[in-house]
Amino acid sequence: MDHKLTITHVMIHGFAAAHAVTAATLSQTMVGDEVALTTLTISMIIAISRLYNQPIEVGSAFALLGTFAGFYLGTRGAIFCIKWIPFVGNAANAIATTMTTETLGWVTYYIVSRGDSIGNVTKDEVKELIRKSNESKNEHEREWKRIRNIIKSMNSTDRTLYDSLMTSLKRENLSDFEQKEIEQQLTELFDKYEQ
């Protein structure tokens, strides 16, 4: 099994879950959820890039987000109309945010796993990258289901460790060494549940 692919799945799942909670919690506040969600997205892009030995700076991650602005804003705009409806708006915001996060995570994976540079992505390539990343995600659907089942089957101690590792992975100032340590701990944790 591809160690990096497993960690990529774990990262995308963890960041998508964090995005969903953030979106559901903050969507109807005066502050809103945009800053928190953008920070999480940037952290995810940087973490996946580092995993594939293409460390990037925050500016490059923002550039990728800017390239996908039409897709991202379209998704956010579609839920804006119902965002303020209690409960329904929170759920719609969380679902849309999760889907957007997964798409951006898989696009990042697709780019860096091929050795391409995030900085070279143009707006003209967005639709094709989304299509190719979805194909890539679908190819690995069995692995994705396995990861979800492992997370569901974790005992409370291991689930707490998983949550703690994912929280650490989201830190902006995470060094390459710290990320490698977290990746190793995640691998060891998931290896405990291998069948």
Side-chain angles (χ1 to χ4, degrees):
M1 177 164 316
D2 181 0
H3 157 76
K4 286 185 179 181
L5 181 59
T6 299
I7 296 299
T8 300
H9 278 282
V10 171
M11 285 181 184
I12 293 172
H13 174 78
F15 278 100
H19 276 73
V21 169
T22 301
T25 305
L26 298 177
S27 68
Q28 294 180 358
T29 65
M30 292 304 288
V31 175
D33 57 8
E34 281 76 13
V35 171
L37 293 175
T38 300
T39 301
L40 284 170
T41 303
I42 296 297
S43 297
M44 177 184 68
I45 292 168
I46 289 171
I48 294 170
S49 297
R50 282 180 173 174
L51 179 63
Y52 287 88
N53 297 320
Q54 290 196 28
I56 61 169
E57 299 299 321
V58 173
S60 296
F62 266 116
L64 181 65
L65 270 183
T67 304
F68 281 80
F71 168 75
Y72 181 73
L73 294 175
T75 304
R76 299 294 292 162
I79 62 164
F80 184 76
C81 297
I82 61 171
K83 182 176 180 175
W84 295 98
I85 302 171
F87 305 111
V88 173
N90 291 41
N93 195 32
I95 291 167
T97 299
T98 299
M99 292 171 54
T100 302
T101 301
E102 287 192 17
T103 298
L104 287 171
W106 285 108
V107 164
T108 303
Y109 160 78
Y110 181 78
I111 294 167
V112 298
S113 68
R114 295 168 37 96
D116 295 339
S117 172
I118 283 178
N120 295 335
V121 175
T122 66
K123 289 184 181 187
D124 295 335
E125 296 174 294
V126 170
K127 284 184 183 177
E128 184 65 12
L129 281 171
I130 290 172
R131 185 186 68 73
K132 287 181 178 180
S133 69
N134 283 334
E135 285 176 4
S136 179
K137 176 186 169 190
N138 291 337
E139 287 175 23
H140 306 297
E141 189 62 31
R142 198 170 99 211
E143 174 69 2
W144 185 234
K145 287 178 184 176
R146 187 185 75 80
I147 298 280
R148 285 190 303 230
N149 288 335
I150 288 174
I151 293 168
K152 287 179 188 175
S153 70
M154 285 182 180
N155 62 42
S156 61
T157 303
D158 287 343
R159 181 58 196 246
T160 300
L161 175 60
Y162 168 78
D163 291 340
S164 171
L165 292 170
M166 289 309 299
T167 298
S168 296
L169 196 57
K170 295 169 193 155
R171 286 194 351 248
E172 278 186 54
N173 58 351
L174 192 67
S175 71
D176 288 340
F177 177 77
E178 290 170 318
Q179 179 165 341
K180 297 266 186 244
E181 280 189 349
I182 292 169
E183 290 169 17
Q184 182 60 39
Q185 289 177 304
L186 283 168
T187 299
E188 290 169 6
L189 179 60
F190 276 78
D191 284 349
K192 283 176 59 176
Y193 291 88
E194 281 293 324
Q195 298 172 5

